[in-house]
């Protein structure tokens, strides 16, 4: 059983991808991703519970859909003049969510990696408040991972001293059942709650979506899944030979989902198409009652797999991996457009709040340099490239098209905003960090991030990052230097001290991690993983 959960934890460890040398086949073990004793069942229809045949007379509460992309870079959408391959790949449907609603231009992910970021979204609290500080990784896998080659002179650090008997088993690493999720909150206001897509917040039955407030859940429980079987005649694959974890994913992931905790079964077709088709079916089933849908696509997270049809649309992109990645973005955009079209067909578009974001920035291990352009950094860093995220809200009945807001907002505010729209009360007896940002500009003075000894705060225009490896404070004035090119720490010691004091005050209110960060690995700030090491490259260490 322990070996089984080693396999599961690898997917969660994408924030550490590629910096430790190990052979994928050595870790090709039975597990949720590939368990020969528990084969994936054939595809079968999903029967969504059906609401009333006719909508009740009079006003009804708005429907709410939260759409989250996975590792979508700032520059992956064309809204601000960007797009994959120097703008070759356009994203008109994602762009339309901003143009037809409100674009929050200074919005932040709650963390720089998938799992803690999603934990904050679901609870409206800094995930460090309840101990969800790190992506879950099994102890055995952490130890094996730490014995690799590193990158250049930078080696992984394994904290054997943190291993204790009370570390939870891997499937129990998730959002505690004592936390109140947004699904649980809106259920009290009469909403039917639906989850479709990636979960990554605990795989034990008590931590799965249907046990955390979702009436129905069609889930990839872990951190990733195959979009299609590797040998499917409709797939074009792009493997990343410089990334050992990518090799592990290809060896161990399955093309599989589970419905309300059922045995795993094959989705029909490409995972992005399947999730969109099921979202459309769930909208049809629930069009006559208020519903909340958490639609969590796993694109464009690795493994990189496009359909042949989408790949064929971009012959002008000569780099194969970029072409596959761009095709995945185009598919994601098109299918989001199909979901939006279904709202109009069902007659509920005007009264549906749609929120769109990504869990964190684009990943350095993909080997593409401009995913987060113009910002520095990647997923697994607190530079703007890792945490600055697209964040749009569209609600034709309430939000004027073309609206923009520049106040400091983000994932942390999703909970209270949705609760207010649904007419649900906020949970009592706990600190809620979330604000209802449709009621007006955010009132907070600062936003905070923490992953072990790597910490950051933004207060006003000033942002401080503090690292232990290397031991350094980096200070930026984001008003004058939004891409963090000019470190002002040496020139502004008093401001550094002030912001460090804010970090320490925040840290005193945070909880001890439920599980420790056993492994720290280096991430270079300005180059992707497939770039050779050169002396002088800036880096941080990321935990787990």
């Amino acid at each position: 059983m322990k070996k089984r959960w080693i396999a599961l934890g690898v997917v969660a460890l994408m924030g550490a991808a590629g910096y430790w040398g190990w052979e994928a086949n050595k870790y090709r073990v039975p597990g949720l991703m590939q368990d020969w004793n528990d084969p994936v069942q054939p595809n079968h229809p999903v029967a969504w519970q059906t609401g009333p045949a006719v909508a009740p007379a009079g006003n009804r509460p708005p429907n709410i859909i939260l759409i989250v992309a996975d590792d979508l870079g700032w520059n992956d959408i064309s809204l601000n003049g960007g797009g994959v391959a120097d703008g070759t790949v356009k994203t008109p449907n994602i762009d339309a969510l901003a143009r037809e609603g409100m674009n929050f231009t200074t919005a932040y992910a709650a963390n720089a990696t998938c799992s803690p970021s999603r934990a904050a979204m679901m609870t409206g609290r800094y995930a460090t408040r309840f101990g969800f500080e790190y992506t879950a990784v099994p102890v055995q896998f952490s130890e094996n991972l730490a014995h690799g080659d590193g990158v250049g002179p930078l080696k992984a650090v394994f904290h054997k001293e943190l291993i204790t008997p009370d570390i939870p088993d891997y499937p129990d690493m998730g959002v505690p059942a004592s936390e109140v999720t947004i699904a649980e909150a809106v259920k009290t206001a009469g909403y039917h709650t639906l989850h479709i897509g990636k979960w990554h917040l605990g795989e034990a039955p008590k931590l799965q979506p249907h046990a955390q407030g979702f009436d129905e859940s069609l889930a990839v429980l872990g951190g990733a899944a195959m979009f299609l079987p590797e040998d499917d005649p409709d797939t074009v694959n792009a493997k990343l030979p410089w990334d050992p974890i990518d090799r592990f994913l290809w060896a161990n992931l399955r093309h599989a989902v589970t419905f309300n905790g059922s045995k795993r079964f094959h989705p029909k077709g490409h995972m992005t198409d399947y999730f969109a088709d099921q979202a459309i079916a769930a909208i049809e089933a629930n069009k006559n009652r208020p519903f909340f849908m958490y639609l969590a696509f796993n694109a464009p997270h690795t493994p990189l797999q496009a359909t042949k049809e989408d790949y064929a649309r971009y012959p002008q992109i000569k780099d194969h991996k970029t072409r596959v990645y761009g095709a995945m973005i185009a598919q994601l955009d098109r299918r989001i457009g199909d979901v939006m079209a279904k709202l109009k067909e069902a007659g509920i578009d005007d009264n549906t709040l749609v929120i769109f974001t990504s869990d964190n920035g684009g990943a350095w291990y993909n080997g593409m340099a401009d995913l987060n352009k113009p910002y520095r950094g990647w997923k697994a860093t607190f530079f703007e490239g890792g945490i600055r995220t697209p964040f749009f809200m569209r609600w034709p009945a309430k939000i004027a098209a073309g609206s923009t807001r520049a106040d400091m907002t983000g994932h942390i505010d999703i909970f209270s905003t949705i609760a207010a729209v649904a007419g649900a009360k906020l949970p009592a007896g706990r600190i809620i960090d979330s604000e209802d940002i449709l009621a007006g500009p955010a009132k907070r003075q600062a936003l905070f991030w923490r992953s072990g000894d790597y910490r950051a705060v933004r207060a006003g225009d000033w942002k401080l990052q503090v690292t232990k490896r290397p031991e350094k404070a980096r200070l930026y004035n984001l008003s004058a230097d939004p891409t963090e090119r000019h470190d002002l720490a040496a020139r502004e010691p008093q401001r550094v001290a002030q912001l460090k004091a804010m970090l320490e005050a925040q840290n005193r209110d945070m909880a001890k991690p439920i599980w420790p960060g056993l492994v720290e690995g280096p991430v270079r700030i300005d180059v992707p993983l497939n770039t050779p090491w050169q002396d002088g490259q800036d880096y941080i260490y990321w935990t787990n």
Side-chain angles (χ1 to χ4, degrees):
M1 181 60 71
K2 291 288 187 181
K3 288 182 68 178
R4 172 174 182 161
W5 297 115
I6 293 173
L8 294 178
V10 177
V11 179
L13 199 66
M14 292 306 295
Y19 283 114
W20 302 280
W22 47 275
E23 295 300 326
N25 287 340
K26 182 179 178 182
Y27 292 91
R28 190 171 185 177
V29 296
L32 186 64
M33 294 181 288
Q34 183 156 304
D35 189 341
W36 293 272
N37 296 318
D38 183 22
V40 177
Q41 304 298 309
N43 174 257
H44 58 75
V46 169
W48 297 100
Q49 298 174 27
T50 303
V54 178
N59 294 331
R60 56 175 279 185
N63 309 299
I64 304 164
I65 301 178
L66 170 61
I67 303 175
V68 179
D70 197 356
D71 292 357
L72 185 76
W74 180 268
N75 195 46
D76 284 343
I77 62 174
S78 52
L79 178 69
N80 298 314
V84 175
D86 296 321
T88 300
V89 180
K90 306 298 182 185
T91 54
N93 296 292
I94 294 173
D95 298 352
L97 296 175
R99 292 186 174 129
E100 296 172 5
M102 183 172 291
N103 181 3
F104 294 87
T105 59
T106 312
Y108 286 97
N111 196 278
T113 53
C114 319
S115 196
S117 181
R118 294 165 189 265
M121 281 191 224
M122 288 293 102
T123 63
R125 287 153 54 82
Y126 288 111
T128 45
R129 282 204 187 278
F130 50 88
F132 200 128
E133 185 153 351
Y134 309 117
T135 297
V137 179
V139 173
Q140 298 91 338
F141 180 73
S142 300
E143 187 167 11
N144 288 326
L145 199 65
H147 296 312
D149 296 331
V151 54
L154 307 176
K155 307 301 180 183
V157 178
F158 179 61
H159 293 286
K160 186 175 182 179
E161 73 279 5
L162 298 180
I163 297 177
T164 61
D166 60 348
I167 295 178
D169 288 338
Y170 172 74
D172 292 317
M173 296 179 180
V175 173
S178 58
E179 290 297 311
V180 178
T181 69
I182 186 58
E184 290 171 315
V186 299
K187 276 173 65 75
T188 66
Y191 276 71
H192 190 73
T193 55
L194 306 153
H195 165 255
I196 298 173
K198 178 171 172 175
W199 181 238
H200 209 190
L201 297 176
E203 301 185 25
K206 66 182 179 182
L207 302 180
Q208 291 181 17
H210 58 282
Q212 293 275 46
F214 287 96
D215 293 311
E216 301 176 89
S217 171
L218 181 65
V220 170
L221 291 176
M226 297 296 287
F227 291 91
L228 281 166
E230 181 179 351
D231 59 354
D232 190 287
D234 190 41
T235 189
V236 181
N237 302 318
K239 297 184 179 181
L240 310 178
W242 53 85
D243 182 3
I245 290 186
D246 191 66
R247 294 199 297 271
F248 181 94
L249 297 183
W250 288 98
N252 289 282
L253 282 179
R254 299 304 300 269
H255 179 242
V257 294
T258 180
F259 186 59
N260 293 343
S262 71
K263 284 186 173 293
R264 296 171 303 160
F265 60 93
H266 284 288
K268 183 179 180 181
H270 193 283
M271 193 74 78
T272 298
D273 287 330
Y274 181 70
F275 285 153
D277 289 341
Q278 291 301 320
I280 289 168
I283 290 169
E284 176 65 26
N286 289 278
K287 63 184 179 182
N288 292 326
R289 62 179 171 187
F291 65 85
F292 165 59
M293 177 184 292
Y294 174 33
L295 177 54
F297 289 101
N298 58 320
H301 197 298
T302 49
L304 301 184
Q305 294 183 286
T307 65
K308 286 184 175 178
E309 181 180 1
D310 284 308
Y311 185 81
R313 291 175 177 169
Y314 297 101
Q316 66 272 48
I317 302 177
K318 302 306 179 185
D319 180 69
H320 175 66
K321 69 179 180 305
T322 304
R323 185 173 173 184
V324 171
Y325 186 81
M328 292 173 70
I329 297 291
Q331 178 191 29
L332 175 67
D333 178 79
R334 182 178 66 254
R335 297 317 315 265
I336 288 174
D338 292 340
V339 172
M340 299 304 296
K342 178 60 182 179
L343 295 175
K344 292 180 180 180
E345 177 195 307
I348 57 175
D349 175 68
D350 192 57
N351 196 36
T352 299
L353 168 64
V354 176
I355 303 172
F356 176 84
T357 191
S358 175
D359 56 355
N360 45 251
W364 82 98
Y365 46 77
N366 285 346
M368 290 167 268
D370 294 333
L371 300 184
N372 301 311
K373 184 181 178 180
Y375 298 116
R376 295 180 70 199
W378 312 90
K379 171 183 179 177
T381 79
F382 291 145
F383 281 81
E384 296 290 282
I387 55 176
R388 194 77 168 257
T389 187
F391 191 44
F392 315 137
M393 294 189 186
R394 179 188 181 275
W395 185 8
K398 297 291 184 180
I399 299 174
S403 302
T404 60
R405 286 257 299 274
D407 50 309
M408 194 166 52
T409 60
H411 292 168
I412 203 74
D413 297 317
I414 288 173
F415 187 103
S416 288
T417 303
I418 289 177
V421 168
K425 294 181 179 180
L426 296 181
R430 66 197 66 210
I431 294 173
I432 300 294
D433 300 296
S434 185
E435 297 186 29
D436 173 14
I437 53 175
L438 286 183
K443 300 178 178 64
R444 67 173 54 85
Q445 301 301 307
L447 278 173
F448 297 89
W449 297 266
R450 186 178 88 177
S451 182
D453 292 320
Y454 183 19
R455 300 168 185 182
V457 55
R458 177 169 178 177
D461 292 331
W462 292 91
K463 180 179 171 187
L464 179 73
Q465 299 187 56
V466 178
T467 56
K468 185 175 181 179
R469 294 182 179 85
E471 192 161 338
K472 187 173 182 178
R474 297 173 172 92
L475 178 69
Y476 302 99
N477 183 334
L478 296 183
S479 177
D481 179 26
T483 58
E484 297 171 294
R485 305 287 173 181
H486 306 290
D487 182 0
L488 303 178
R491 288 171 47 185
E492 296 268 0
Q494 290 184 332
R495 196 176 300 275
V496 169
Q498 176 188 12
L499 293 171
K500 279 186 174 180
M502 292 178 68
L503 281 172
E504 289 306 313
Q506 173 78 359
N507 289 334
R508 285 193 291 270
D509 290 336
M510 300 299 105
K512 177 183 176 182
I514 302 172
W515 57 90
L518 295 178
V519 181
E520 296 180 63
V523 180
R524 291 174 288 173
I525 304 305
D526 297 306
V527 295
L529 176 58
N530 54 346
T531 302
W533 169 262
Q534 293 183 4
D535 289 342
Q537 288 177 336
D538 200 4
Y539 66 92
I540 59 90
Y541 269 69
W542 186 260
T543 303
N544 277 26

